Amino acid sequence: MSMNRRKLNIPALLATCVLLISTFLGPATIVNTSSHTFGSPSYFALSQDEVSSSLEAALVYDSESDRFIRYGGWISVTTSPGFSNVVEFSDETWSYDLNENEWTNQTTSVNPGPKAGCAAAYDSQSDRIIIYGGRVSETSAIPEELYSGDTWAYDYNANSWTNMSPANAPGIRYGAGMVYDSESDVIILFGGMNFPSLNGYHVQQTWAYDFETNTWTNLEPAVQPIGRHHMGITYDVESDRVIMFGGYVSSALDHANGDTWAYDYNSNTWELMEPDRFPLGRFYGSMSYDNITDVTILYGGASEFANNAVLGETWSYDYNNDEWFKMEADPHPPARWRQASAYDTKTGIHVMIGGSYGDIFGGEAREDICWTYNHTNDEWTNQDGSFDPDTPGPPENLLVINEGYGIFLTWEMPVNDTGYAISGYRIYRGTGGDLALLAETDSVLIYPDNDVMPGVTYYYSITAFTPAGEGEPSQVFAYASPVSLPIVEISIGIGVSLILIVAAIRWKRQRYFRAS
């Protein structure tokens, strides 16, 4: 039967044909999906001689001395499930001069001791850096020996640490969020974990610390966020609000939150913000406020404790308009989690250092490079001057949907990008043996393959590419075998019938891709 019969100008007939085809074929069937597995445990051989080689260090900016101060961190660790077999924590104090791009070891004999994941903030009125809590052991079964509840103050000018030993304190904490509210001259601490298990007990408390009187106060607001740890937190100077995003909120659900909160110390109230668009939920990211552009900057983090869940995105948040924006800096730092960041109020530059990238449970790589970010220009800079972006990882969760008259592919972008935004994707197809390039798309995540034959099994693989080159193929070849194409006969008059072949009806979804 000639295919040109499909072109008959009979609108009602075509409408009936579409209805019959939909009824005949039924719903789409998912034939196969890609999957991923946890990587093998890998070890970080992190040397104390390298200032940047640590995870979960505290980093703050001392505006009076114009120096970034970094303390502690994990310096030798395996990322096997449970984060066991930690070899050592750091007790080193380092200062960083951004103008000279120079690090100096300020370590003293009296200090808060080896620890990681402690909360930190700079009290500008008292010119002191305050750190609280942190993880101090990986082996003790006693909570007070696993996490710390100490309050320490650091004076850069005197290069001295002082144990403040307040009469009352929040208790042991690991991964709490802490900022300095300059309008009220008080430090605000929220959340953290205080129970010695794999994921810990997530504290739902808001505390304030006054350095001048050396007192902690449990503020007990009527409404506050659910307990969490390793959230992004900063202080918006212009709006006089503590801004908090995400964090790990549930051991049972293995859940990274994506909520945005604002806290007003003067009224002692937390407000749940309701932006229309917001970043993927995450924990172990880094966040700092930009006083020049009046936005909060968020980078990286992990979306879950699973393979390939480390993020490489830069976002900005405007509290006044309750809006999140995804930035497009290219190149940018490779995806990472457990890094530290702080903001230079004099130059308007964000500094980020340390962290791990790659798979969470197979993270054989670590980041030893100091990066700076200028939000005004949306520009990341590698302070070491030696950044060589790698090619992207494999696209995730490839789905092949057999719709009878064609095959429809969807996938997700590589979670762990490596310094460049994804330029596009390449679709490979074969019927056995080697796969050949079928098409190249831009950054869309769908592809309709219409050029298929019934009864033939097709295998697919997807790769992503950036200016650094083409990345790894999707981990599993997905496949589909279209069914025989049905023939529908419609009577349009006495002794006259029209036979339509479904295969002649081409997909209109082709507008979503660019053929190679």
Side-chain angles (χ1 to χ4, degrees):
M1 183 63 63
S2 174
M3 295 296 179
N4 62 10
R5 295 191 181 185
R6 183 177 57 87
K7 298 180 181 179
L8 291 175
N9 186 18
I10 309 176
L13 175 62
L14 292 179
T16 303
C17 184
V18 171
L19 176 61
L20 289 173
I21 290 170
S22 175
T23 304
F24 185 92
L25 294 177
T29 302
I30 297 177
V31 179
N32 189 30
T33 66
S34 66
S35 60
H36 46 62
T37 58
F38 294 118
S40 301
S42 301
Y43 291 84
F44 293 93
L46 304 184
S47 167
Q48 290 196 48
D49 295 332
E50 300 175 13
V51 60
S52 54
S53 55
S54 71
L55 311 176
E56 297 183 51
L59 182 71
V60 295
Y61 176 67
D62 182 331
S63 57
E64 191 276 334
S65 302
D66 191 22
R67 293 291 188 277
F68 290 86
I69 305 299
R70 202 197 76 170
Y71 186 80
W74 306 55
I75 57 176
S76 187
V77 58
T78 174
T79 52
S80 60
F83 308 114
S84 59
N85 304 319
V86 170
V87 177
E88 193 172 4
F89 294 99
S90 172
D91 66 350
E92 294 184 336
T93 305
W94 289 79
S95 66
Y96 177 61
D97 183 342
L98 176 61
N99 299 316
E100 300 296 329
N101 190 25
E102 182 177 76
W103 287 92
T104 303
N105 194 332
Q106 309 276 153
T107 304
T108 59
S109 58
V110 176
N111 59 57
K115 61 175 61 183
C118 50
Y122 173 66
D123 183 329
S124 57
Q125 180 164 311
S126 302
D127 188 27
R128 293 293 188 278
I129 291 166
I130 308 298
I131 70 169
Y132 188 83
R135 192 161 197 151
V136 296
S137 170
E138 192 66 17
T139 58
S140 177
I142 303 174
E144 288 75 16
E145 294 179 356
L146 187 71
Y147 302 148
S148 168
D150 297 339
T151 306
W152 286 79
Y154 178 69
D155 181 351
Y156 172 79
N157 296 315
N159 191 29
S160 64
W161 284 98
T162 301
N163 189 343
M164 300 304 294
S165 302
N168 184 39
I172 59 175
R173 291 287 191 279
Y174 168 54
M178 194 165 82
V179 297
Y180 175 66
D181 181 333
S182 56
E183 192 272 341
S184 300
D185 183 31
V186 65
I187 284 175
I188 304 297
L189 179 143
F190 180 80
M193 38 197 269
N194 67 356
F195 190 75
S197 67
L198 171 60
N199 295 311
Y201 175 75
H202 308 92
V203 182
Q204 186 184 25
Q205 292 179 349
T206 306
W207 288 76
Y209 177 69
D210 185 335
F211 173 78
E212 300 298 333
T213 61
N214 191 27
T215 55
W216 281 98
T217 303
N218 189 347
L219 298 173
E220 300 182 290
V223 175
Q224 53 188 338
I226 187 174
R228 65 194 67 200
H229 67 87
H230 290 100
M231 68 292 286
I233 193 166
T234 191
Y235 174 67
D236 183 327
V237 177
E238 189 274 336
S239 300
D240 185 29
R241 294 292 188 276
V242 176
I243 305 298
M244 184 174 73
F245 177 80
Y248 190 85
V249 300
S250 172
S251 303
L253 299 177
D254 189 26
H255 184 49
N257 242 27
D259 51 353
T260 305
W261 289 81
Y263 175 72
D264 180 3
Y265 173 75
N266 295 316
S267 62
N268 190 25
T269 56
W270 282 98
E271 178 186 7
L272 176 62
M273 310 303 292
E274 298 181 349
D276 292 332
R277 183 191 187 202
F278 49 89
L280 181 69
R282 66 196 64 200
F283 48 94
Y284 287 107
S286 55
M287 208 159 85
S288 49
Y289 172 75
D290 191 309
N291 64 353
I292 292 180
T293 57
D294 186 28
V295 297
T296 289
I297 301 299
L298 168 70
Y299 188 81
S303 60
E304 58 179 312
F305 283 114
N307 200 36
N308 276 341
V310 182
L311 304 168
E313 304 166 340
T314 305
W315 288 78
S316 67
Y317 177 67
D318 179 353
Y319 169 78
N320 296 315
N321 295 307
D322 191 21
E323 291 181 333
W324 281 98
F325 297 93
K326 187 176 181 180
M327 309 307 296
E328 302 297 338
D330 207 18
H332 55 265
R336 71 195 58 215
W337 66 313
R338 306 171 77 190
Q339 72 275 12
S341 70
Y343 177 74
D344 185 333
T345 56
K346 298 183 185 299
T347 63
I349 298 296
H350 301 258
V351 170
M352 182 176 72
I353 191 166
S356 168
Y357 60 94
D359 300 344
I360 287 185
F361 288 140
E364 66 280 353
R366 73 179 191 279
E367 183 56 73
D368 290 339
I369 298 173
C370 179
W371 287 82
T372 57
Y373 178 67
N374 184 335
H375 179 250
T376 302
N377 303 325
D378 189 22
E379 183 178 64
W380 281 98
T381 302
N382 175 0
Q383 293 301 108
D384 291 359
S386 58
F387 179 52
D388 183 18
D390 198 357
T391 54
E396 294 287 308
N397 299 325
L398 173 60
L399 298 178
V400 175
I401 304 172
N402 179 359
E403 293 194 336
Y405 49 88
I407 296 174
F408 187 63
L409 285 72
T410 70
W411 60 92
E412 297 174 9
M413 65 183 297
V415 177
N416 180 17
D417 74 30
T418 52
Y420 277 124
I422 301 298
S423 302
Y425 297 91
R426 293 186 178 124
I427 294 91
Y428 292 85
R429 188 187 74 177
T431 57
D434 295 335
L435 305 185
L437 179 63
L438 174 66
E440 180 177 298
T441 75
D442 52 23
S443 57
V444 298
L445 303 174
I446 59 175
Y447 180 81
D449 185 5
N450 299 315
D451 188 19
V452 294
M453 295 295 294
V456 178
T457 299
Y458 292 92
Y459 297 83
Y460 296 90
S461 183
I462 312 292
T463 63
F465 62 91
T466 70
E470 185 174 11
E472 303 173 54
S474 53
Q475 293 175 331
V476 174
F477 291 158
Y479 59 90
S481 179
V483 299
S484 297
L485 301 177
I487 296 177
V488 180
E489 182 172 339
I490 304 174
S491 177
I492 60 175
I494 299 176
V496 180
S497 63
L498 174 65
I499 297 178
L500 301 176
I501 298 181
V502 176
I505 301 179
R506 311 300 291 176
W507 279 7
K508 299 304 181 185
R509 294 174 183 167
Q510 289 176 335
R511 67 181 182 273
Y512 292 118
F513 75 97
R514 179 183 71 251
S516 61

